[in-house]
Structures are given as C-alpha cells and as structure tokens.
Amino acid sequence: IVIAAGFAASARLEKYRQWLDRMAANNCNYIRVWLGAKWCFGVQGTEPYHYDEDAAGLMDAVLRLCEKRGIAIKLCLGNKPDTYFGNNGGPFRQCRTRVDFLTKQDARIQWKAFLRYCVARYGASTAIMAWELWNEMDHQFGHRCVAAIIPWTEEMCRYLTSIDPHNHLVTNSTGSATKQFDLYGQPAVDFTQYHDYGGGRYPGRA
C-alpha cells in the first residue's frame, strides 16, 4: 500500500482507514507497507540517527487500525538506496555509493540503529507479521552488489532476531530480475520473498 507523503497526515490516515475497511469487509487479512521511503511513510529522517516523528506517528495510527480489523502487516524497512546517501542529502553521510551502504562499518551500525528504533516503536503491535529489510534489494542495488547483499542480509536478519522480544519473522525480498537462492538459504532468513513479474533466473542457478 502506497500513498504519497505530500498529503496531510489526517488525509493519509483516512485513506488507509478506507482501504483497510474495504479489505476487512472482503476478508483480507494481510498488507505490506513501505516504511522508510519518503514518498510513502518516510520514517527514516534526513539527519543521521534522527527519525521523522510525524511519519512514525502515522504508522502508529495505521497499526492501530490494523489491530482492530485483524489485518497483519509486513513492514518493508528500506527502498531507493540513493536517497540515503550523504552526497544526495541523505542521513548516511559516509555513503556515496551502494557498495558503501552495504560494506562500510559505520553504515551498518547506522542501519542497525534504525532497525532498533523500528523494533522498539512497533514491535509490540499485534499487527506486525514480519520485518522485511528492503524492497527488491537485488533490483535496487544492482547486480554488482549481489555478493555484498547476501552477508548484509544475514547480518541484519540476525540482528533483528536478537533484538526483537516478540520473535517476528525476518526476510528480504528480490525482484524478478534474479532468484538469489544463496540469499534465501541463509540461516537467519525465515522465508523467501521473490516478486515475479515474468523475469528470468539468477545467472548460474538452476
């Protein structure tokens, strides 16, 4: 579910209320929401280790709507990596490239802080079904980053599991350009999430 951040919070919440009411009336019980994107919720702030409290509060309200309607949410925490980079005005000041984001120690520490914030703020909600690290990470980061995506995913999934007292499932997602069986088979990845738009297979995999 996506709605542009330019709308006032009250209008956005009302739109979610309408959608969720219709879903509940039709026995739908699951949605997937992008949390970090500025044009969706935009909880990730523009300053290091600072988060948008207005956006986070809107997510609080949407979770309450879901709880009352018995609708589960998978929170997708990141997308569009370039918007995070310091040279683009983003909060990860030490990052200038996608490889930086995945491999620099400071960047991994900063992303873990965001994970910790999300777990602390939203983890107690009965509507949370799972944490998803990134939307279609292979597509967003590109083929040159495939090797780095796998250990990054394992590290972040392990970290989420270690800090979440409610034991939610953890995962990452890939798009139809690749099928990363090495990623899906990582011990800390609880389930596979592959978005199939009719694409091919990851080179070298069966």
Side-chain angles (χ1 to χ4, degrees):
I1 292 180
V2 174
I3 183 170
F7 286 92
S10 59
R12 297 172 73 202
L13 182 60
E14 181 56 31
K15 182 58 69 175
Y16 274 98
R17 191 190 313 277
Q18 293 171 12
W19 287 337
L20 294 168
D21 281 345
R22 292 172 187 170
M23 289 178 177
N26 287 279
N27 298 315
C28 295
N29 63 1
Y30 164 80
I31 63 174
R32 174 175 176 260
V33 172
W34 292 8
L35 192 65
K38 284 228 147 292
W39 45 273
C40 189
F41 275 88
V43 170
Q44 177 72 65
T46 58
E47 295 295 324
Y49 299 100
H50 286 78
Y51 309 109
D52 188 320
E53 289 299 308
D54 290 336
L58 178 60
M59 187 72 247
D60 289 333
V62 171
L63 284 172
R64 288 192 292 270
L65 294 177
C66 289
E67 291 167 357
K68 292 177 181 178
R69 291 157 179 78
I71 294 175
I73 293 184
K74 177 153 59 63
L75 280 184
C76 179
L77 304 176
N79 71 299
K80 299 295 182 186
D82 292 6
T83 64
Y84 292 82
F85 301 159
N87 54 318
N88 293 329
F92 283 67
R93 298 290 195 256
Q94 69 278 23
C95 293
R96 300 183 65 84
T97 69
R98 299 175 185 193
V99 172
D100 286 347
F101 186 91
L102 295 172
T103 60
K104 283 197 171 184
Q105 180 68 8
D106 288 348
R108 296 202 302 275
I109 291 171
Q110 190 171 338
W111 184 255
K112 286 179 179 178
F114 179 56
L115 299 183
R116 188 168 63 249
Y117 175 86
C118 292
V119 169
R121 179 136 194 170
Y122 304 123
S125 172
T126 57
I128 298 294
M129 170 266 204
W131 311 107
E132 176 186 343
L133 293 175
W134 210 273
N135 174 60
E136 299 183 2
M137 197 167 196
D138 59 326
H139 173 68
Q140 296 290 339
F141 279 81
H143 295 293
R144 286 179 293 181
C145 294
V146 164
I149 287 171
I150 294 170
W152 186 91
T153 295
E154 175 71 5
E155 179 180 349
M156 297 307 164
C157 283
R158 283 190 182 280
Y159 181 72
L160 272 172
T161 298
S162 74
I163 63 173
D164 183 2
H166 303 284
N167 299 315
H168 293 101
L169 298 171
V170 292
T171 188
N172 206 352
S173 68
T174 58
S176 62
T178 65
K179 292 183 179 177
Q180 289 189 239
F181 297 107
D182 289 345
L183 185 150
Y184 306 147
Q186 292 300 304
V189 179
D190 288 325
F191 62 95
T192 297
Q193 191 184 178
Y194 169 70
H195 303 166
D196 194 338
Y197 305 103
R201 290 180 174 272
Y202 177 59
R205 304 300 176 203

